[in-house]
Amino acid sequence: MIVTLDRLRDRVVTNDIPDCARGAGSERNEWSLLMTHRTIGIDLAIRGDHVAQIFDDGHPSGRPIRFRHDPASLNSLVLRARDKLNESDRVQAIMEPTGMSWFPIAHQLVDAGVEVARVKGKRVKALRRYLSEHAKTDLADAQVLAAIPGFGGPRLDPVHIPAARSHALQRLTKQRSRFQDDLSSAKRRLLDLVRWASPALEAVLPDLATRLSLASLQRWLDPEAVLSVRRPTLRKFIAEHASGNHPHSGPFVEALIDGLRDAARQAQALHGRHVDFAELQAEVALEIDIMLTKMAAVSALEQRIAALYDELDPQSLLRSIPGIGEHLAPTILGVLHTARRFHSERHMRGFCGLFPKRSDSGGTERPGQQITQGGNDRIKRALMLAADTARRIDPELAEIYWRLMTAKGHHHKQALCAVANRLTNRIFSVLRRGKPYVLRDKDGNALTIEQAKAIVRTSYTVPNAVRASRRANRSPPAA
């Protein structure tokens, strides 16, 4: 049944419910025999009551349903969702992805045979403003959600409810990503602090990701403390905290001590009495304590993620694809879960959101648009990182990148996006077939990684002049 925009707008704004939806007598039973499609708009809340509105064949039916996250309330919602329907009748629940409030409702409805779809808040907001410009209520949002299928537009894909272990992998990789982002932000804050408090110290210390640099900042940022301590004490401190490629003694240690003292003298001369370095030292020490705690948490997460990934992908199918290594494979699998939820490569690419916006007007096409904001941000990031590595290994992907950069005039990110889309096709194929990916040349012969890299270096290296010309904001050449 097609519902006109004007009639649907009147119903959403005025909450006009047909008489046949109000009664519970023979008229309602007769109408239910003709019903083919029921939609349920659910406006989710973080703490309060959720509100649901049922639409039968495009018409609001019955009163709004208020419910909460408890078994009895959810069971009541499921019963109302299937009430007075035939087995063949279609039921679709539509909601926004409000936090994780959608999850318990979704899996309860899916278990009851109800198709569940999530829509972006931006789409709901835009439609609500058109239908009810001056009203923002939970009921209005629920009615708009239920009415969305009547407006056509993009198909609403059913929500995939992952298996418990796959869902756990998704949450663990998301937590790891969040901690790593926090660590990156903390390192940037420390670096900014060093650059104004003790500018010479940046060149003295190794990379801030190293244990030695963090320990040195945590203890020896205060110039007075560095200049008053004896040299053997500094030598012992460096030996205790040096790790990896950093020597525990010798010229490296002596040069580091000299650098710390020179930086301390310059900081004193720069700031005089205008900076309380003792309090600044305490601030930095606390920041580094938090960083070390999160670094330990990330290390523990890595072990749990690796064990869970080995359980879910015992053949290491994703890791067989060039560019997808130990770190990215769990992230990708945690977001995609299974290839069976996608009916084609195009469907998976659309889910990942790796395609540019389209801008056509007046018969003129404007290429080079930005990538859409659709899709999952974590898998976008993972695929772009994997593509940047894969183009250096796989001759087929390297050729695509090389051709777009040299012949099509694309810049690095545009070419990388095209490579990421090809990589998505391979992920779909590998997961569907259940067989590892094999590197091959143009004749179909299997290649080792070393052989593949040699082909890429020989045939598909983008000249530096071409790469520089593609940069949108390159610096002017030196005089």
Side-chain angles (χ1 to χ4, degrees):
M1 178 177 181
I2 299 176
V3 183
T4 65
L5 296 184
D6 292 338
R7 291 175 62 193
L8 187 54
R9 182 179 185 276
D10 291 339
R11 289 196 181 100
V12 173
V13 175
T14 63
N15 193 24
D16 181 20
I17 300 174
D19 293 337
C20 60
R22 298 183 186 276
S26 60
E27 293 181 0
R28 175 69 180 89
N29 294 332
E30 183 178 352
W31 185 52
S32 67
L33 296 175
L34 304 175
M35 186 170 51
T36 58
H37 187 199
R38 169 174 287 179
T39 58
I40 308 170
I42 303 176
D43 182 67
L44 299 173
I46 299 296
R47 294 182 298 176
D49 291 345
H50 312 298
V51 179
Q53 176 65 59
I54 294 176
F55 272 45
D56 286 335
D57 285 338
H59 298 271
S61 175
R63 295 183 178 277
I65 306 168
R66 293 187 175 273
F67 63 99
R68 283 183 170 269
H69 276 153
D70 60 76
S73 187
L74 289 176
N75 287 338
S76 176
L77 173 68
V78 171
L79 292 175
R80 292 284 298 275
R82 301 293 312 183
D83 184 35
K84 299 178 181 178
L85 290 181
N86 300 318
E87 289 296 328
S88 60
D89 292 335
R90 182 186 177 200
V91 187
Q92 184 180 35
I94 305 166
M95 62 187 77
E96 296 178 71
T98 305
M100 282 297 290
S101 294
W102 65 272
F103 185 73
I105 302 170
H107 68 66
Q108 290 272 356
L109 290 171
V110 169
D111 289 345
V114 177
E115 180 183 306
V116 179
R118 293 183 301 169
V119 294
K120 292 181 182 179
K122 288 183 178 180
R123 291 179 61 189
V124 178
K125 182 179 179 181
L127 184 56
R128 185 184 66 243
R129 290 185 64 183
Y130 168 70
L131 296 174
S132 181
E133 184 176 0
H134 303 294
K136 169 64 174 77
T137 64
D138 294 342
L139 177 56
D141 284 350
Q143 290 175 325
V144 168
L145 286 162
I148 282 178
F151 284 85
R155 189 183 73 172
L156 299 178
D157 289 328
V159 166
H160 174 73
I161 305 297
R165 298 294 282 172
S166 185
H167 186 234
L169 180 64
Q170 177 186 5
R171 296 198 60 79
L172 287 176
T173 53
K174 187 175 183 178
Q175 186 179 41
R176 178 184 65 181
S177 178
R178 187 169 62 250
F179 284 175
Q180 289 173 333
D181 288 343
D182 291 344
L183 286 170
S184 297
S185 298
K187 289 174 184 176
R188 286 193 296 270
R189 287 195 299 271
L190 282 178
L191 189 57
D192 290 341
L193 185 147
V194 167
R195 285 171 176 169
W196 70 261
S198 183
L201 196 57
E202 181 181 1
V204 172
L205 292 175
D207 186 87
L208 283 184
T210 62
R211 178 185 169 191
L212 178 58
S213 291
L214 291 176
S216 299
L217 282 176
Q218 192 174 29
R219 179 66 182 85
W220 304 113
L221 181 63
D222 185 354
E224 186 175 346
V226 175
L227 296 175
S228 62
V229 73
R230 298 174 57 198
R231 194 177 186 91
T233 303
L234 285 174
R235 192 180 293 121
K236 181 180 178 182
F237 177 88
I238 294 171
E240 289 175 351
H241 293 89
S243 60
N245 295 326
H246 299 143
H248 293 253
S249 60
F252 170 80
V253 174
E254 301 303 322
L256 181 56
I257 294 173
D258 293 337
L260 288 173
R261 290 189 164 178
D262 289 341
R265 295 187 190 97
Q266 292 184 40
Q268 282 185 332
L270 176 64
H271 296 292
R273 299 181 179 275
H274 293 283
V275 176
D276 188 336
F277 277 100
E279 292 300 326
L280 191 62
Q281 179 74 78
E283 176 188 338
V284 170
L286 180 59
E287 184 79 24
I288 292 177
D289 277 338
I290 296 173
M291 288 178 61
L292 293 174
T293 300
K294 288 190 175 181
M295 289 169 69
V298 168
S299 179
L301 279 172
E302 293 281 7
Q303 297 179 12
R304 294 176 60 191
I305 288 170
L308 197 52
Y309 176 82
D310 289 340
E311 175 186 334
L312 295 173
D313 185 15
Q315 295 179 270
S316 290
L317 297 176
L318 286 180
R319 289 173 178 165
S320 69
I321 302 174
I324 302 178
E326 300 289 326
H327 183 86
L328 294 179
T331 299
I332 294 173
L333 187 63
V335 176
L336 298 178
H337 300 298
T338 174
R340 290 191 297 272
R341 63 185 291 198
F342 304 104
H343 52 74
S344 65
E345 294 176 346
R346 181 184 177 88
H347 188 194
M348 182 180 282
R349 292 199 305 270
F351 173 83
C352 296
L354 284 171
F355 51 89
K357 297 178 181 178
R358 184 172 180 177
S359 178
D360 297 343
S361 179
T364 303
E365 182 177 353
R366 297 176 177 83
Q369 300 295 312
Q370 293 181 344
I371 296 176
T372 64
Q373 294 183 0
N376 183 285
D377 289 339
R378 288 199 303 128
I379 199 168
K380 275 186 182 179
R381 181 180 180 183
L383 287 173
M384 292 294 278
L385 290 172
D388 199 28
T389 301
R391 71 176 179 84
R392 297 180 172 93
I393 301 173
D394 191 319
E396 182 181 346
L397 298 180
E399 182 183 10
I400 293 170
Y401 179 85
W402 174 82
R403 176 166 43 82
L404 291 175
M405 288 285 289
T406 58
K408 299 292 185 179
H410 286 43
H411 58 69
H412 171 72
K413 286 188 177 180
Q414 287 176 314
L416 208 59
C417 184
V419 174
N421 273 300
R422 303 307 196 285
L423 205 59
T424 304
N425 294 344
R426 292 183 178 179
I427 292 172
F428 178 83
S429 178
V430 163
L431 292 180
R432 270 295 183 94
R433 292 187 294 108
K435 296 181 179 179
Y437 182 80
V438 178
L439 273 171
R440 298 187 183 277
D441 60 16
K442 289 184 176 181
D443 298 326
N445 301 315
L447 296 171
T448 65
I449 291 180
E450 290 73 17
Q451 291 172 333
K453 285 183 176 180
I455 294 174
V456 172
R457 285 193 300 269
T458 304
S459 305
Y460 303 117
T461 298
V462 178
N464 291 332
V466 172
R467 192 178 298 280
S469 69
R470 301 291 184 264
R471 296 192 183 105
N473 298 314
R474 62 185 184 275
S475 302

